[in-house]
Amino acid sequence: MVLEEERLRFDAEGHGDPEQFIGAEELAEAAGLDVDEDVIAARRRKVRPPSRAGREVSVKDAQRAFFERVRDYGLEHATNIDTWREPYPQNWYDVSLGDSRGQILLTVNSQRKLVTTLFWINHDKDLFAKLLAQRDAIEADLGFSLEWDDKPDRKASKLVISRPGDFLDDTQSQELVEWLVPTGDTFARVLSKYL
């Protein structure tokens, strides 16, 4: 392996030795590129939430913690979603409707400060067309309007509702949990009738 020839060490599963990790800044400097410390500091502030009790928290850790709260709230309050799985450190949490043609996704976007509930339809434009033909009835049952995104250049389609909100802001996060769970639960109640 080329990397081993460069004296990089790997464990039995093929993971690199963390003691040999080189950050992007160090790599850029080693390659002879200029590194602007102000730009790096600004980027780090942008992608990392504020530290809590002196400990730096990664966005991925914050996402997992937020969706653990979503799951806990869903287990207690949702009446149409039966399964709330363990969350992963990612910006979405998926909920099954029991129909493999689509799933409900609860998402957060720390860059755009936006939270979204959507129904993701993968590889089934006919299902999207069927739902779109019933748009007025679906939106009346939901009690809110949706963005209907056919994604004409892609295989997937989606039905979306979003609202502003920064899940990293402790003053907003519980309100966002209490918006995502009922909205997702309403999707589950209504969309299951039209699938």
Side-chain angles (χ1 to χ4, degrees), residues 1 39 83-85 97 99 103 118-119 122 135 160 165:
M1 177 190 266
V39 171
T83 304
W84 293 87
R85 64 165 182 75
L97 274 177
D99 188 320
Q103 62 186 340
L118 61 96
F119 182 63
N122 201 20
R135 179 179 187 162
V160 182

Side-chain angles (χ1 to χ4, degrees), residues 4-192:
E4 289 173 330
E5 291 173 10
E6 294 293 326
R7 290 186 254 164
L8 294 175
R9 295 182 300 270
F10 297 90
D11 64 17
E13 286 84 37
H15 302 118
D17 182 348
E19 291 181 9
Q20 292 184 299
F21 176 80
I22 297 176
E25 295 87 19
E26 188 179 350
L27 186 60
E29 287 175 0
L33 301 173
D34 290 330
V35 177
D36 186 334
E37 295 299 326
D38 292 335
V39 171
I40 292 168
R43 185 173 192 290
R44 285 185 177 144
R45 282 191 302 275
K46 186 176 178 183
V47 299
R48 288 187 182 151
S51 61
R52 295 182 184 148
R55 182 176 90 77
E56 196 70 32
V57 177
S58 75
V59 172
K60 294 294 183 192
D61 289 342
Q63 289 166 341
R64 181 194 303 259
F66 177 79
F67 285 122
E68 285 173 352
R69 290 173 53 206
V70 166
R71 181 198 60 212
D72 292 346
Y73 191 83
L75 286 167
E76 188 173 338
H77 297 281
T79 57
N80 301 288
I81 298 172
D82 297 327
T83 304
W84 293 87
R85 64 165 182 75
E86 185 73 25
Y88 295 102
Q90 58 196 17
N91 73 318
W92 77 92
Y93 182 87
D94 59 311
V95 178
S96 173
L97 274 177
D99 188 320
S100 62
R101 297 175 296 169
Q103 62 186 340
I104 296 170
L105 298 177
L106 310 176
T107 72
V108 294
N109 186 319
S110 60
Q111 299 295 313
R112 295 176 53 206
K113 300 191 181 350
L114 193 69
V115 295
T116 302
T117 300
L118 61 96
F119 182 63
W120 182 265
I121 302 168
N122 201 20
H123 295 83
D124 197 336
K125 294 295 186 181
D126 291 337
L127 176 59
F128 181 84
K130 175 185 171 185
L131 295 173
L132 185 59
Q134 303 172 81
R135 179 179 187 162
D136 291 341
I138 290 171
E139 289 181 348
D141 279 356
L142 288 169
F144 47 81
S145 297
L146 297 173
E147 173 190 340
W148 295 73
D149 187 357
D150 183 28
K151 296 191 163 297
D153 300 337
R154 299 190 181 173
K155 294 179 182 179
S157 307
K158 61 184 180 176
L159 288 62
V160 182
I161 185 169
S162 298
R163 64 158 282 181
D166 183 359
F167 83 99
L168 296 172
D169 182 344
D170 289 336
T171 65
Q172 298 178 39
S173 64
Q174 186 58 33
E175 177 185 341
L176 300 177
V177 167
E178 292 175 14
W179 182 83
L180 281 169
V181 169
T183 307
D185 201 43
T186 301
F187 268 53
R189 176 181 58 80
V190 172
L191 293 176
S192 61

